[in-house]
Amino acid sequence: MIRFNQKEGVFHIQTKSSSYVFCLSDFNVLEHLYYGKKIPDDNVRYYGNRQIYSHLGHESREDRSFSPSVQGMEISPFNSGDIRTPSVIYNCDGDLDCNRLRYLSHVIYKGRKPIDGLPFSRRTTDCETLEVTLVDKGKNLEVTLFYTVFPSVDVISRYMQIKNTCKKDITVQKLASACVDFYGMDYDVITLEGIYLYERAKVSRNKLERGTFKNESLTGTSSHNKNPFIAICSHNANEDVGEVYGFNLVYSGNFAEEVSVSHLGDTRVLLGISDVGLLWTLKPNEILCSPEAIMTYTDKGIGQMSRNFHDHIRQSIIESDFAFSSRPIVINSWEASYFAVSEQKVLELAKSAKDCGADTIVLDDGWFRPNDKSGLGDWRTDKERFPSGIKGLAEKIHAMGLKFGLWLEPEMVNENSDLFKAHPEYILTTSKAPLISRSQYILDLTREEVVRLIADRISEELKGAEIDYIKWDFNRYATEAGSFSTPQGEVYHRQMLGSYKLLSLLKERLGKVLFETCCGGGGRFDLGMLYYSPQIWTSDNTDPYARIFIQNGTGVAYPVSTASCHFTRGDCTSGRESTYEFRYNVAAFGAYGYELDLSEYSDEDKKLFKEFSEKYRRNEDLNLSGDLYRILSPESSNFYADIKVSKDKNKALFTFLEINATGFIENMALRLKGLDPDKLYKNEVTGEVLHGATLMNVGIRISDLYRKKRSDGYTVAFTAI
Ligand code: GLA
């Protein structure tokens, strides 16, 4: 619900449990008042800080109680009187009235509008939007703030649009999507830290100090190292209690999130595209939109923040055709044969696929090249190894009653390719001796003709082929993004717009295909990608022990159904042994599949794999639409435990995994979470029937589970009777 209280001049955005309040303050400045637990009143203007500090500027010359440096601000342009970290920086040279943004008008309506060229929370029902337009005093530009409220999931989204309304060019150097001011600094900051092969594996929590905490990626991707998710929480917050504010950005490129504590001890949270190198020229009448930021508030701990985001992402970011639908159980050729793929090998893989319950064969890299040194950009099937072409192979796979998936890396070009030889100017570089990575360059997608050319080339090559699944990869960072045709300060963001355009074009042309995005493992695990692909390859690290950390961190911000998790040999990256059961129990966390050379496995093994696939299918609904409750964190114990509970609370699956077998059985009881206290649940392993209240307060004794082999991990299903 969004209301504008005319008398108070107050905007009040309410979700099921939170309130976000700002007002028209002195001189029509937009003053932020409150974000937190739901409140009934609008008349909270009294909360605005009117303390008098020296050295600050005052528009009202005599009354020193109002200064933009002291009040909470909904938008804080640099050079506008607020000396704290600015949320936008723009210049209109020679115009001295630019930068003072004042309220002009607003409108409230049901639903929402799309953001041109960018992904966004797409749902249009059960949401409401407030647009507030501000104008700078000299009428050089208009800024519109868009707030959309998704009440049932406690999420508010915000982005901004700048429009040049004068006759001169305006330059934009910073453009934060959201700016949220909090009085006080008693918070911890939570981010997901990682690196290639260990993406989001460290849920990092730091006490907020004076100064600026920055979470930023400058890689042209959201990256393996950082993630656009960020939260601030009260010091006492844990999984189940405490105040938590979660934020994320619907964007996949360079981003920056700043949590700044000012000299006054206030906290400002800013989220947006990174301003490093940003210099965007807006010609008269041109518009620039920021990506959308989403935020959620809860006083029920980090677990509830995750569940709010999970619900929102499933309902509003992921395409509705896929969000809650059963996913393919793939068998992917990569860890089975790497580049040594051929039609014959793929057909052999397909023959055994059914034996282990897989339903989709994914032909990974190698169908158009023998190694990573050539082929990207040309997209010509290697007819020697694939004599029937992709169309013919897809037909053969379909005739076997299986679905067919294919790997692509459309945003790249190999140095050794006809495309690069003909058009060396089609790559991103700042130098005549471009830096090469994995023998490839990033195509300059800031150029419309390159986007079209690649879309045409790929759709021509795949013409007539019935493809059910695309794995869309991106295997290097943009380490020096310059363009032969686009101004330097616009390259990174325009490149992202080009990537989104290419994704949209190919999705349109390929029809109803499930996309799984990937970025050298999990280097683009973000809401921008989830808009196009309901699932993302979580990491190239498929060692199950490492995966526990990677998946645990990923689940803090993203629904488990978005995390693609494969049962593999498990030792490819770590050399570590693990049992089949353990590998299954880890991979069943997310969208399950296989990545194995099945010819190396016995019929008995395959029978077991089939049982795994069937078990996964029985519980898949919990992954697609259930609630995730984390019970033990691998970062603070030797164990991982969670329980996934269906929305109607009739079904639950408890998982317990031991990381380093100690040979010593702890006397451990774990309290379950998320069940209905009044319902009776049958433990499907022991047959025991207990109330949810008992299971959640007394708990279950872990040593009882250890009667099985210890290194396997355990799952226990609970069914309400
Ligand atoms: C990336 C992906 C892998 C695989 C290879 C193919 O590394 O993460 O899963 O697709 O590319 O080159």
Side-chain angles (χ1 to χ4, degrees):
M1 200 264 324
I2 301 176
R3 65 174 175 251
F4 176 62
N5 184 319
Q6 188 93 35
K7 186 166 148 257
E8 297 287 336
V10 162
F11 294 96
H12 191 156
I13 304 175
Q14 276 183 337
T15 69
K16 188 179 62 183
S17 355
S18 69
S19 281
Y20 184 107
V21 189
F22 59 96
C23 70
L24 297 182
S25 192
D26 303 29
F27 311 103
N28 273 341
V29 164
L30 280 195
E31 180 178 354
H32 179 81
L33 291 171
Y34 173 73
Y35 183 31
K37 194 165 177 147
K38 190 172 186 170
I39 52 166
D41 297 314
D42 296 337
N43 55 341
V44 285
R45 294 184 75 106
Y46 72 89
Y47 191 61
N49 191 11
R50 291 293 182 271
Q51 217 167 329
I52 297 171
Y53 294 93
S54 298
H55 303 292
L56 301 175
H58 308 280
E59 195 154 337
S60 163
R61 302 162 67 89
E62 300 310 321
D63 173 9
R64 297 201 293 144
S65 65
F66 180 84
S67 164
S69 286
V70 174
Q71 273 69 56
M73 299 288 283
E74 274 303 297
I75 177 163
S76 173
F78 174 61
N79 250 347
S80 63
D82 186 354
I83 54 167
R84 294 168 295 183
T85 312
S87 70
V88 286
I89 304 178
Y90 51 78
N91 292 300
C92 183
D93 284 341
D95 201 309
L96 297 181
D97 265 339
C98 194
N99 286 358
R100 300 248 182 107
L101 286 175
R102 301 298 141 98
Y103 169 85
L104 178 69
S105 61
H106 77 269
V107 47
I108 297 171
Y109 52 89
K110 293 262 176 265
R112 68 157 306 152
K113 295 176 187 162
I115 314 176
D116 197 24
L118 282 164
F120 58 95
S121 304
R122 67 178 86 220
R123 181 168 167 186
T124 52
T125 51
D126 304 324
C127 64
E128 210 177 352
T129 298
L130 161 67
E131 286 180 22
V132 186
T133 299
L134 302 119
V135 67
D136 79 299
K137 274 183 76 187
K139 309 241 176 335
N140 292 310
L141 61 92
E142 273 178 20
V143 167
T144 306
L145 304 176
F146 294 79
Y147 302 82
T148 300
V149 58
F150 303 87
S152 62
V153 290
D154 283 323
V155 166
I156 297 168
S157 79
R158 194 185 111 156
Y159 70 98
M160 66 178 286
Q161 172 192 290
I162 295 193
K163 181 174 181 194
N164 181 352
T165 49
C166 72
K167 293 194 172 62
K168 288 188 291 187
D169 288 357
I170 285 174
T171 51
V172 180
Q173 283 171 263
K174 183 171 183 177
L175 179 75
S177 307
C179 168
V180 189
D181 280 347
F182 297 86
Y183 290 108
M185 54 175 283
D186 288 331
Y187 300 103
D188 291 343
V189 190
I190 302 173
T191 49
L192 302 175
E193 307 288 329
I195 191 165
Y196 173 58
L197 297 180
Y198 215 46
E199 299 91 334
R200 300 164 300 285
K202 172 102 196 81
V203 183
S204 172
R205 183 165 174 169
N206 290 290
K207 184 174 177 290
L208 195 56
E209 301 287 356
R210 280 170 198 269
T212 298
F213 177 97
K214 203 167 186 187
N215 183 40
E216 183 170 50
S217 168
L218 298 176
T219 61
T221 67
S222 49
S223 90
H224 307 83
N225 323 323
K226 298 285 172 182
N227 189 271
F229 159 82
I230 193 166
I232 63 168
C233 64
S234 55
H235 299 314
N236 70 343
N238 63 23
E239 276 298 313
D240 308 304
V241 298
E243 290 200 295
V244 188
Y245 298 86
F247 302 89
N248 209 333
L249 202 60
V250 191
Y251 196 59
S252 315
N254 287 359
F255 70 87
E257 290 152 359
E258 294 164 285
V259 186
S260 299
V261 178
S262 75
H263 56 295
L264 303 178
D266 313 320
T267 302
R268 170 168 290 173
V269 178
L270 297 174
L271 290 92
I273 54 180
S274 169
D275 59 340
V276 176
L278 180 71
L279 186 65
W280 192 284
T281 303
L282 272 182
K283 301 211 172 304
N285 288 318
E286 277 185 354
I287 279 173
L288 176 63
C289 280
S290 76
E292 179 182 69
I294 60 167
M295 53 189 134
T296 189
Y297 163 82
T298 176
D299 63 350
K300 296 191 172 48
I302 299 160
Q304 187 57 46
M305 175 210 68
S306 298
R307 289 186 289 280
N308 290 352
F309 276 155
H310 295 176
D311 282 338
H312 180 71
I313 294 166
R314 294 185 295 208
Q315 291 173 11
S316 297
I317 300 282
I318 297 175
E319 282 170 280
S320 56
D321 277 356
F322 297 110
F324 298 101
S325 313
S326 181
R327 300 292 167 75
I329 296 184
V330 307
I331 169 126
N332 180 300
S333 65
W334 184 243
E335 283 192 33
S337 4
Y338 296 100
F339 283 103
V341 279
S342 64
E343 179 170 321
Q344 198 196 335
K345 272 210 164 160
V346 173
L347 291 173
E348 273 163 25
L349 197 63
K351 266 189 220 135
S352 338
K354 276 196 168 169
D355 299 342
C356 59
D359 50 44
T360 304
I361 308 298
V362 178
L363 170 54
D364 208 280
D365 201 351
W367 59 272
F368 58 95
R369 59 176 180 174
N371 52 40
D372 62 10
K373 308 244 173 301
S374 62
L376 293 173
D378 292 344
W379 299 109
R380 276 191 297 266
T381 310
D382 178 343
K383 279 289 177 58
E384 262 177 44
R385 288 189 290 148
F386 292 90
S388 316
I390 294 303
K391 182 170 178 285
L393 176 60
E395 277 163 8
K396 290 184 185 175
I397 300 278
H398 285 131
M400 295 164 80
L402 291 159
K403 290 186 172 170
F404 177 68
L406 192 68
W407 181 93
L408 294 172
E409 196 181 357
E411 294 148 283
M412 300 285 170
V413 63
N414 277 116
E415 188 168 50
N416 183 10
S417 66
D418 293 345
L419 178 61
F420 180 71
K421 280 173 204 147
H423 289 287
E425 77 282 13
Y426 277 2
I427 63 161
L428 285 188
T429 183
T430 50
S431 123
K432 284 189 185 130
L435 298 179
I436 196 153
S437 173
R438 214 194 188 211
S439 310
Q440 68 196 52
Y441 301 116
I442 302 181
L443 283 165
D444 182 355
L445 302 179
T446 69
R447 301 168 81 126
E448 173 87 19
E449 77 266 31
V450 181
V451 173
R452 300 251 161 223
L453 182 142
I454 291 296
D456 289 349
R457 235 174 228 197
I458 293 176
S459 32
E460 187 53 37
E461 187 64 20
L462 303 181
K463 202 161 149 196
E466 215 183 298
I467 295 172
D468 306 287
Y469 170 109
I470 290 284
K471 179 174 169 191
W472 181 292
D473 215 334
F474 188 93
N475 275 313
R476 66 160 293 179
Y477 289 145
T479 51
E480 37 155 12
S483 164
F484 288 91
S485 71
T486 302
Q488 181 61 50
E490 300 179 14
V491 170
Y492 275 102
H493 184 53
R494 286 202 189 276
Q495 177 70 16
M496 212 53 249
L497 296 175
S499 292
Y500 290 142
K501 175 93 196 169
L502 186 54
L503 269 156
S504 307
L505 272 179
L506 278 166
K507 275 175 78 73
E508 241 170 69
R509 294 189 191 177
L510 292 170
K512 199 188 160 191
V513 175
L514 186 142
F515 274 57
E516 172 167 320
T517 46
C518 173
C519 172
R524 268 199 318 202
F525 211 116
D526 57 64
L527 299 178
M529 285 296 135
L530 285 176
Y531 182 86
Y532 299 94
S533 65
Q535 55 193 56
I536 298 178
W537 182 231
T538 316
S539 177
D540 276 353
N541 192 344
T542 52
D543 164 81
Y545 296 99
R547 270 287 182 133
I548 292 176
F549 291 82
I550 295 166
Q551 293 169 187
N552 174 61
T554 303
V556 169
Y558 304 96
V560 296
S561 61
T562 64
S564 181
C565 305
H566 292 177
F567 180 110
T568 71
R569 274 179 44 188
D571 59 353
C572 295
T573 41
S574 65
R576 212 166 2 192
E577 295 282 319
S578 50
T579 66
Y580 290 165
E581 280 78 4
F582 190 76
R583 283 184 245 170
Y584 167 74
N585 281 328
V586 174
F589 174 86
Y592 183 66
Y594 296 91
E595 206 155 319
L596 291 173
D597 183 353
L598 288 174
S599 66
E600 289 173 3
Y601 295 82
S602 67
D603 287 348
E604 207 181 313
D605 290 339
K606 285 181 211 151
K607 208 172 135 236
L608 183 62
F609 299 163
K610 189 160 193 185
E611 282 170 28
F612 289 157
S613 300
E614 286 163 0
K615 192 167 166 194
Y616 169 73
R617 281 282 186 240
R618 280 199 298 281
N619 295 312
E620 192 185 9
D621 54 335
L622 293 172
N623 280 15
L624 291 166
S625 59
D627 285 326
L628 174 75
Y629 293 82
R630 287 177 290 270
I631 297 176
L632 279 181
S633 158
E635 292 195 70
S636 50
S637 73
N638 182 31
F639 308 98
Y640 172 81
D642 71 27
I643 184 166
K644 294 166 182 165
V645 185
S646 64
K647 288 279 178 201
D648 62 9
K649 301 204 181 280
N650 282 337
K651 186 178 168 187
L653 186 72
F654 167 74
T655 300
F656 177 82
L657 304 167
E658 183 177 23
I659 297 163
N660 293 311
T662 54
F664 143 88
I665 296 180
E666 294 195 30
N667 183 7
M668 184 194 278
L670 288 182
R671 292 171 170 182
L672 302 188
K673 298 181 185 179
L675 302 173
D676 181 335
D678 300 325
K679 280 191 173 152
L680 276 169
Y681 290 92
K682 181 172 168 208
N683 177 325
E684 298 291 351
V685 176
T686 63
E688 207 166 34
V689 174
L690 289 167
H691 275 99
T694 307
L695 292 165
M696 292 193 293
N697 290 298
V698 179
I700 61 169
R701 191 159 290 286
I702 295 302
S703 52
D704 286 349
L705 302 172
Y706 280 177
R707 288 189 200 117
K708 268 179 57 185
K709 206 161 114 208
R710 285 197 60 194
S711 55
D712 291 348
Y714 311 92
T715 55
V716 185
F718 291 90
T719 317
I721 53 168

